[in-house]
Amino acid sequence: MNPAIHAEWTKFHSVRSTWWSVAATVSLMIGYAGLAALSVRLGGDEELSAQGAIVGGTFYLGQFAVVTLATLVITSEYATGAIRSTLQWLPRRGGVLLAKAAVLAPVSFLLGLVCAGVGLAIAVPLIDGYGTPTSLSGVLQTTLATGGYFALLSLFCLGVGTALRSTAGTITVVTLILLMVPILIGGLGLDEVVHFFPGLAGTNAMVSGVSPVLGMPTPYPAWLGLPICAIWSAGALALGQALFRKRDAA
């Protein structure tokens, strides 16, 4: 597997779209956290904490750059026809997805750690004395959970992208699942169900007690948020792998 992972890493870091997606994630997350914290200091939302600023940046902005990053890892190969070469070099199709996941998940985890860590380093001192204080344990929880959520979200996109083979189709479906479907279900009064979608479950893992996105108590403890996301990721990867084995590369 090591040569396959090395080949995937080379493909991953040698294309411009990877670095544009990484730069977009960092700038969106840190920019949102800084602006949200500054608004609290200038007399805006006094209930906002530094953790809440990171969660908002993740849910409304940063996660969609991660979606693009993870989607292109597989769909760009179908768009360019490179998937044929990939399967010639590594005919075992399970190994292809495994190698891509072995590259994508650690990079996404590290990206989440950096974005949340730097964002909190900016937001905590700005909010101190003005908004809701954040403890050291809260900082660690939000930082680690953001990394875990980005890693699981990237695997979810890898599975959906493998199943659909289309960049536009994958981004559309994932965006619907992350944002639009929960909004529609919440509008029907099924608020408890909304918390089990991956976007809300991931952000629920970053805080304890009340979801900063919905402003209501979460129906499960924070530690359960990431396992819920893992179930979505495993389901998407299983679907993608099953279709990947059955269909031709073209």
Side-chain angles (χ1 to χ4, degrees), residues 107 140 158 174 191 230:
V107 170
L140 291 174
L158 178 62
V174 173
D191 294 329

Side-chain angles (χ1 to χ4, degrees), residues 96-171:
V96 173
L97 278 190
L98 185 60
K100 290 183 181 297
V103 170
L104 189 56
V107 170
S108 300
F109 180 76
L110 183 61
L111 181 60
L113 287 185
V114 171
C115 289
V118 175
L120 285 165
I122 295 171
V124 168
L126 280 174
I127 289 179
D128 186 33
Y130 294 88
T132 304
T134 299
S135 64
L136 178 59
S137 62
V139 168
L140 291 174
Q141 176 188 1
T142 302
T143 303
L144 293 173
T146 303
Y149 175 58
F150 277 5
L152 293 168
L153 177 62
S154 68
L155 295 179
F156 178 67
C157 295
L158 178 62
V160 176
T162 305
L164 298 181
R165 300 180 172 189
S166 162
T167 302
T170 301
I171 292 176

Side-chain angles (χ1 to χ4, degrees), residues 40-231:
V40 173
R41 192 177 187 90
L42 296 177
D45 185 2
E46 296 181 354
E47 299 298 324
L48 184 67
S49 66
Q51 289 175 277
I54 298 300
V55 171
T58 299
F59 187 76
Y60 295 112
L61 297 174
Q63 67 174 345
F64 297 106
V66 175
V67 168
T68 303
L69 172 69
T71 298
L72 289 174
V73 167
I74 181 67
T75 59
S76 64
E77 294 212 24
Y78 283 103
T80 61
I83 190 66
R84 300 188 188 92
S85 300
T86 298
L87 291 177
Q88 284 178 337
W89 297 328
L90 188 61
R92 289 174 51 244
R93 298 195 173 194
V96 173
L97 278 190
L98 185 60
K100 290 183 181 297
V103 170
L104 189 56
V107 170
S108 300
F109 180 76
L110 183 61
L111 181 60
L113 287 185
V114 171
C115 289
V118 175
L120 285 165
I122 295 171
V124 168
L126 280 174
I127 289 179
D128 186 33
Y130 294 88
T132 304
T134 299
S135 64
L136 178 59
S137 62
V139 168
L140 291 174
Q141 176 188 1
T142 302
T143 303
L144 293 173
T146 303
Y149 175 58
F150 277 5
L152 293 168
L153 177 62
S154 68
L155 295 179
F156 178 67
C157 295
L158 178 62
V160 176
T162 305
L164 298 181
R165 300 180 172 189
S166 162
T167 302
T170 301
I171 292 176
T172 299
V173 168
V174 173
T175 301
L176 286 171
I177 292 174
L178 291 178
L179 193 60
M180 301 310 297
V181 175
I183 290 175
L184 290 174
I185 291 178
L188 297 175
L190 302 173
D191 294 329
E192 296 295 309
V193 178
V194 168
H195 289 280
F196 290 89
F197 280 79
L200 271 301
T203 53
N204 286 345
M206 300 173 195
V207 296
S208 297
V210 177
S211 167
V213 176
L214 299 178
M216 63 178 63
T218 57
Y220 47 76
W223 65 266
L224 200 55
L226 292 183
I228 292 172
C229 293
I231 292 173

Side-chain angles (χ1 to χ4, degrees), residues 7-15 18-19 69 73 103-104 107:
E8 289 299 334
W9 168 245
T10 301
K11 286 189 286 185
F12 183 77
H13 75 74
S14 60
V15 296
T18 294
W19 298 107
L69 172 69
V73 167
V103 170
L104 189 56
V107 170

